[in-house]
Amino acid sequence: MCVDLLSEVVAGSAAWLGRGLSCVCVQGRDGDPRPSFDLTPAQEECLQRLQSRIDVAYDSSIPQHQEALKDLWKLAFPEEELHGIVSDQWKEMGWQGKDPSTDFRGGGFISLENLLYFARKFPKSFHGLLRKQVGDRSVWEYPFAVAGINITFMLIQMLDLEAVKPRSIVGETFLRFLSVNESAFDLLYCIAFKLMDQQWLSMRASYMEFNTVMKSTRRQLEREIMIEDITSLEDLPSYSLLSQ
């Protein structure tokens, strides 16, 4: 990947995040009423816990946050020693610069938690995406880590998780998954990341088409969540893309 050329298209993570998110948000017409779904006490509690996670900003001054970031490095590159929390080595993982904390500005700590869950739960898939091991890859690939932050954002918006209660059937359905599996958001993140990469390959995309790939990924996830008789995220067709 040519970092200099990428920086011209994506002037830092904020620009990349803005581009990634501007196209995946579905905007209703002004004045359109949006449905609201009542929650069971258990669903409301699960939603509030997830929202509490979403509200936590990444803070490099907090030791636990630094340790979590170091853990991500160890999981990604177990044979390579990290020379510092600020290091050019981070670019190997697809961060925009030597300090990943600047890329977390929009994603918050939950985006780091998502990456950690992915690396621990599905290490084969995680490393396959990190190293772009599968498929006929583009010369200009998406940056792995920053793409992961975009996926966290996309899911929060798709599921309308910052609302008091879900305003879409997709969001309401997800809360049913969450009420029986507290890791449902993290699991859906893993599914979405693998699905995004599959879409990327099938579309023969380059990083200029990242927005298009994200829109396609969101639409496919929404379709799968809406399939009748889906009782858990493991039932989604795209779950089969993941390998342990």
Side-chain angles (χ1 to χ4, degrees), residues 7-23:
S7 65
E8 291 178 11
V9 180
V10 190
S13 61
W16 178 268
L17 285 166
R19 289 168 183 267
L21 293 172
S22 62
C23 291

Side-chain angles (χ1 to χ4, degrees), residues 182-243:
E182 274 205 86
S183 299
F185 184 78
D186 303 272
L187 179 56
L188 185 60
Y189 172 89
C190 301
I191 296 169
F193 213 143
K194 272 297 277 188
L195 177 59
M196 185 277 289
D197 190 70
Q198 184 195 57
Q199 301 275 340
W200 177 274
L201 291 172
S202 65
M203 295 167 67
R204 297 182 179 275
S206 184
Y207 67 82
M208 290 295 288
E209 288 86 47
F210 184 76
N211 290 345
T212 303
V213 173
M214 288 290 284
K215 285 196 294 182
S216 177
T217 302
R218 172 170 173 162
R219 286 194 298 267
Q220 181 61 29
L221 280 175
E222 289 174 329
R223 282 194 293 266
E224 293 190 14
I225 289 173
M226 296 289 290
I227 294 174
E228 291 186 19
D229 301 325
I230 294 289
T231 59
S232 70
L233 291 175
E234 289 85 353
D235 295 332
L236 298 182
S238 290
Y239 178 81
S240 64
L241 298 172
L242 288 167
S243 52

